[in-house]
Amino acid sequence: MSSGKTIGVLTSGGDCAGLNAVIRAVVARAILGYGWRVLGIHQGTQGLLRRPVDFVPLDLKCADSAMARSAGTMLGTTNRGDPFAYPMPDGSRKDRSEEIIEGCRLLGLDALIGIGGDGSMAILRRLAQQGNIPFVGVPKTIDNDVGATETSIGYDTAVMVATEAIDRLQPTAASHDRVMILEVMGRDSGHIAMAAGIAGGADVILVPEIPYDIDVVAEHINSLRRNGRNFAIVVVAEAVRDKTGEHVRLHHALGGVTYGGIGHVLGDAIAQKTGAETRVTVLGHVQRGGQPTWDDRMTASAFGVHAVDLVAQGKFDRLVAWQHRRVVDVPLTAAFELTPLTDFDDTLVHTARGLGICLGDSKTE
Amino acid sequence: MSSGKTIGVLTSGGDCAGLNAVIRAVVARAILGYGWRVLGIHQGTQGLLRRPVDFVPLDLKCADSAMARSAGTMLGTTNRGDPFAYPMPDGSRKDRSEEIIEGCRLLGLDALIGIGGDGSMAILRRLAQQGNIPFVGVPKTIDNDVGATETSIGYDTAVMVATEAIDRLQPTAASHDRVMILEVMGRDSGHIAMAAGIAGGADVILVPEIPYDIDVVAEHINSLRRNGRNFAIVVVAEAVRDKTGEHVRLHHALGGVTYGGIGHVLGDAIAQKTGAETRVTVLGHVQRGGQPTWDDRMTASAFGVHAVDLVAQGKFDRLVAWQHRRVVDVPLTAAFELTPLTDFDDTLVHTARGLGICLGDSKTE
Amino acid sequence: MSSGKTIGVLTSGGDCAGLNAVIRAVVARAILGYGWRVLGIHQGTQGLLRRPVDFVPLDLKCADSAMARSAGTMLGTTNRGDPFAYPMPDGSRKDRSEEIIEGCRLLGLDALIGIGGDGSMAILRRLAQQGNIPFVGVPKTIDNDVGATETSIGYDTAVMVATEAIDRLQPTAASHDRVMILEVMGRDSGHIAMAAGIAGGADVILVPEIPYDIDVVAEHINSLRRNGRNFAIVVVAEAVRDKTGEHVRLHHALGGVTYGGIGHVLGDAIAQKTGAETRVTVLGHVQRGGQPTWDDRMTASAFGVHAVDLVAQGKFDRLVAWQHRRVVDVPLTAAFELTPLTDFDDTLVHTARGLGICLGDSKTE
Amino acid sequence: MSSGKTIGVLTSGGDCAGLNAVIRAVVARAILGYGWRVLGIHQGTQGLLRRPVDFVPLDLKCADSAMARSAGTMLGTTNRGDPFAYPMPDGSRKDRSEEIIEGCRLLGLDALIGIGGDGSMAILRRLAQQGNIPFVGVPKTIDNDVGATETSIGYDTAVMVATEAIDRLQPTAASHDRVMILEVMGRDSGHIAMAAGIAGGADVILVPEIPYDIDVVAEHINSLRRNGRNFAIVVVAEAVRDKTGEHVRLHHALGGVTYGGIGHVLGDAIAQKTGAETRVTVLGHVQRGGQPTWDDRMTASAFGVHAVDLVAQGKFDRLVAWQHRRVVDVPLTAAFELTPLTDFDDTLVHTARGLGICLGDSKTE
């Protein structure tokens, strides 16, 4: 047992279910397995910018089961800005990377474990290299588009919440002869929409990777109606685009942001083209805050234990990952290689088409 | 056992959880208890307008347990218009009440059981009186504002879904130092907002019965922040109004409807007045479509059995109701007496204030 | 605002969902509403027996929303013995009531709020009278048999958990042509069994209030099979008795305790009498530990606020209760008047029979 | 599109969540993608033994979303006996394989898709080879021990149900200073116990692959108590064995079966060795009947579509499988290679030890 080490842990980027389960596993493994000290850094890199450094020592009380099943992150997180071009009160940008590196030194960290998505990993890696900070990354993102790992923390729970919403929308759609549109998260990735749509029994699934043709969507809904189905369920990812770009332009003209809200434009268009009564639900942040599923908790536990083991073995600049029923580790740079759903050779896309679900294009299989 | 009777059952108005459990109980009681025939009428009074009349005979297969726990209504429902002033394709209005009454006669109905809210009950009662149709009403509404009954079908489930959403928003609010606004249903009644807000641990609950002062809301959030709380949860009913009426005007100017969407106006106002980062979730129709809770299923079962018993006893123009652990019946006119949350002598309001929750006015207790 | 008071709060008897929500409401109301101090006493009256007295000051951190939605009791609880005849290590019994009363004095309590069932209330009342301790009671019991209140803390959640189990057993029963027996809690009361059985769509519900005839049960299952139903769901309360007493004797001969386990005897008897394949599930303590439903949380909140208000008004020897959509208070002695399900004039029993559910006797309606 | 084919589908062995989602996907793909007929065979191979053959034509009504999210199997299933040595009423065994093969011919099946576990696959493969029936297998088992596929239908849901039970037992254990024992399913595999135990925060996890030493278990619980933890959670797989075999012997002496019930023996032993109050929950069939999780529904959908595609491609004697985010197919014989949890190089085992969980042996890492 190599004693005496002090390691830091932080969460960065958008929160999601399972972050506390990673923290818990890091604490348990570091203390019970190696006898180290663990410092939890508040608010991602923000805590390292503050003076005194904003942190909390984490003991075994943070490793109980209630922590494992809680949502959110006990350390807090922010998206508040790139430390290499940090937004200052006067509107200017400033490189504050050295302050963060100094924060690590002030804490006496022998290593840092960062839990984050692709954006956070890029920043954390640059900081680690610049400051010679031994660093290990743990992938979390509800978008599930980090290619090197079969699952990322938070994805399983987000799909669970989205699927549950479809389960609830379907009966009310059928009772009222309505077309229900559900907008889900996922940034530029259609994984949540596709997985929840298949599981929930959607009739139409629209994802960013496949620009949709509104006429194809409308015709599919009309054909369902001709065959006696009085309702339809449409699941749409937040960053979806129509082929002509008209919906995206309309959305922006209405003050819409890049992510979120286009479901309303789509609902209006479907109502206009099919004559159906439509209702739109933008599911929003409940997808991030759900109590983690067992799978997110279990993966988080394996990731946290393995990340500490990597520190013990002196293996840095690595990303923990899940592959073929096992936790493994890959070069940290793998975190930046995002994997969108694609139109070929992809199980989710092929399965959806195989079930007769319309993906907004005219392709069939 | 009085045999030979034929009774009709229909669902009317907005759908909700528990309707199928009522239908199931009506079918089971009528067939097993009395040996009657049960006809399910499609789409509320729409089914009685169509020729041939749009209905389905209901046998014991409709009485199995899967039916009891399913959401929606197997008979369909509509809000499509007052039959006494029915909207015609040419834009005119026409009294079509005699057609509906004739529909009942064509089916040979000895009695009609209608499941609906206050609006539907008013129409169904008028039809019943005009056509001498023996009628019994079963109250359903997620708004829970029918005064004569302690609970209406669908309310328990709607609050469950709304509470679950708060449970999910709280951890992500805390992780990101955010003020989360959750807009829930309830029309002119604050019952869902108040019950879910208390159960979910909201900091601010805004209901239609208590017009809010945005400055009081902002000051409450600021005082939480001064005391070290980095986040806040605001639950707002869809028909809420601010004291000055400015928010309502703004909402309408943005194309908002009477019910739904004002949460976004409120979120912007809170962001502006407190500097906090806000996120808005409009929960929408998932509140209607949830699998019914045990309480909604149990009440629905008791209502359905009692409604049939009333028919057997020849007691008509009655509304079944829940009072003091028992199913009872009251005059049907009681269905129209709505009970808003009030600011005095009301347990929910007093409990919320007692927990330190801000209700948007400056009253304290 | 009457300042300076110090109040104690404790939980006693079997735990259940919603206890923490009561404690949270007591803390919030006492501190925010009246400026009092609140002391949480550990392990029911055990904490008052220990020296130093085992307690924890409760501040507003105990009043956050996570507390409201958590299961169990943060103060702990025990059933470890009647303080008036306390079991000593040497096997003797000793009256230790004065030690408990002294414990209250050592803490300087101006009043005590006790959360418990009928057994705990009897003991706490006797202690309060003997020691002149101003006392208010809050009723909790998953059995829901305290007659003065329409609901007790923990009941709603226990029925939710039991109903969910039936929902899960039904599909596997149908898939395998099986008779599934589910044994639920409730001590001498059939409320959980009856409510969950109705909500879950049971075919047979056996409760302590109605001794069952195994031949009636077997014939009902056989008649279902003759009518094409390949499975059956039997819900049985833990303290159920058969008419001849043979099952109870058999259960005791096998080492069974008064509460729990008779489901296995019943399962064997049904298998023998019907030839059906049976499987037995004894649900056990998951019924106590569920995250509280919104209803349990809301009622708990109202009870906690009202209990503190009673202390402020100097109204003691009272039990808070829920009646007709309102929190009220009744004489504490009302806590001892238990209300079993009865065979006449009772909505649950009549509803079950109305749905065609067999209650184990030969009565029909 | 190769038209005119008729394919059969059946479910065999113990039921679980997700079977209907496979059937739905088979029906949708076969009809929509290829224009084939699909015949659902009742009760596994039993339906093929009966004359007339017991089957139902499956049309697109069986492919709706409600089917995808339902538990159980709409076709029924049995474990009633090896057709090569079928148990006859007189107690003898008879080879009835040719009757089953004839049943397939009577239906005019061009191919058969069988959904089952390792035992069912062995029998179905032998039948297929003997009768020259083109056959494709879909793996289902809550035990998740089919090595060739990363997940089998039903596993994700079973772990979800078991984890939920731990989440509910933990608060009541802590409230009452108890050791709670939860016995879960899994036959000779510890996957459910290990995954749920890690996710739920168990203190001790006992699996068949690692015989336990009761003294090690007792000492771990005692050490938790010495460190101030007043409760413990023990998760035990149904086929667990103690090192000396004494518990197994005791279990059998009490009439216990191979699978199920040993939790009670363990509970008594822990109570005796630690002095702690113990309570035992045998979770049972609720693990099979849960509404399928999104993951089970999605995998089931992919498996069903791919199985039909294999038929279209003339690829038989194959098992569909899930590997590295994709549906693939492997030789059917891979279904028989079971993968127990092992004590080395296994992520679940290593993660559990890394969290400080006792696995019943004295190994540490």
Side-chain angles (χ1 to χ4, degrees), chain C residues 177-199:
Chain C
D177 296 4
R178 280 175 179 155
V179 175
M180 289 284 182
I181 291 97
L182 177 71
E183 181 182 313
V184 300
M185 285 183 164
R187 296 178 59 101
D188 297 314
S189 156
H191 284 96
I192 294 177
M194 197 63 84
I198 290 172

Side-chain angles (χ1 to χ4, degrees), chain A:
Chain A
M1 191 181 287
S2 51
S3 81
K5 278 213 168 82
T6 297
I7 63 172
V9 59
L10 60 79
T11 50
S12 180
D15 80 319
C16 63
L19 297 177
N20 284 332
V22 180
I23 298 168
R24 173 220 185 200
V26 166
V27 171
R29 183 61 174 157
I31 296 178
L32 296 174
Y34 299 105
W36 298 345
R37 287 206 317 149
V38 184
L39 307 183
I41 296 157
H42 284 140
Q43 306 289 334
T45 53
Q46 292 289 314
L48 294 165
L49 272 177
R50 293 181 192 135
R51 295 296 177 271
V53 173
D54 188 0
F55 76 101
V56 59
L58 299 174
D59 59 21
L60 287 176
K61 271 178 213 143
C62 304
D64 73 5
S65 62
M67 185 59 58
R69 64 176 177 262
S70 65
T73 163
M74 59 168 297
L75 297 175
T77 183
T78 62
N79 307 328
R80 218 156 287 166
D82 179 356
F84 296 95
Y86 196 83
M88 304 301 290
D90 66 359
S92 68
R93 296 274 171 170
K94 182 180 168 190
D95 183 346
R96 300 187 65 185
S97 55
E98 281 302 321
E99 296 172 63
I100 291 174
I101 292 164
E102 188 196 47
C104 289
R105 287 198 196 111
L106 289 170
L107 292 181
L109 297 187
D110 294 299
L112 179 66
I113 294 174
I115 311 162
D118 62 297
S120 297
M121 283 302 157
I123 288 169
L124 289 167
R125 183 169 192 258
R126 198 172 154 195
L127 288 166
Q129 291 189 316
Q130 180 175 318
N132 281 320
I133 304 163
F135 180 78
V136 171
V138 176
K140 70 95 207 136
T141 169
I142 63 169
D143 312 335
N144 205 30
D145 54 1
V146 177
T149 183
E150 289 165 21
T151 191
S152 294
I153 306 300
Y155 172 64
D156 197 71
T157 305
V159 182
M160 181 270 286
V161 173
T163 302
E164 185 184 87
I166 303 174
D167 288 351
R168 288 178 177 162
L169 290 176
Q170 188 271 326
T172 181
S175 296
H176 279 279
D177 296 5
R178 279 174 179 156
V179 175
M180 290 283 182
I181 291 96
L182 177 71
E183 182 182 313
V184 300
M185 285 183 163
R187 295 178 61 101
D188 298 313
S189 156
H191 284 96
I192 294 177
M194 197 63 85
I198 290 171
D203 301 294
V204 179
I205 304 174
L206 305 180
V207 293
E209 294 89 342
I210 307 175
Y212 65 87
D213 181 334
I214 183 65
D215 290 318
V216 169
V217 173
E219 170 50 26
H220 186 75
I221 291 170
N222 281 331
S223 76
L224 289 172
R225 288 149 67 97
R226 282 194 301 270
N227 288 316
R229 262 280 293 285
N230 67 328
F231 72 93
I233 303 289
V234 179
V235 177
V236 52
E238 62 184 345
V240 81
R241 294 163 298 130
D242 59 324
K243 268 186 173 153
T244 65
E246 191 194 327
H247 286 187
V248 176
R249 279 192 298 275
L250 195 51
H251 181 223
H252 282 276
L254 291 169
V257 290
T258 306
Y259 295 111
I262 198 166
H264 288 288
V265 175
L266 185 70
D268 289 345
I270 290 173
Q272 199 182 358
K273 296 231 172 214
T274 67
E277 199 175 59
T278 59
R279 291 289 184 278
V280 181
T281 299
V282 180
L283 201 52
H285 285 75
V286 293
Q287 293 163 90
R288 296 193 168 279
Q291 178 171 297
T293 59
W294 77 264
D295 192 79
D296 266 333
R297 296 190 222 172
M298 193 272 289
T299 312
S301 302
F303 280 3
V305 168
H306 193 66
V308 175
D309 286 346
L310 288 176
V311 172
Q313 295 159 19
K315 291 177 69 176
F316 298 108
D317 203 30
R318 304 292 288 176
L319 184 78
V320 299
W322 190 263
Q323 288 181 2
H324 198 68
R325 295 180 101 155
R326 277 190 169 71
V327 63
V328 297
D329 52 274
V330 295
L332 191 56
T333 49
F336 319 141
E337 290 156 30
L338 299 187
T339 307
L341 282 173
T342 49
D343 204 1
F344 55 94
D345 194 16
D346 182 283
T347 289
L348 287 181
V349 170
H350 181 73
T351 298
R353 292 198 203 279
L355 293 169
I357 298 172
C358 171
L359 301 186
D361 57 2
S362 45
K363 192 156 176 277
T364 58
E365 303 195 16

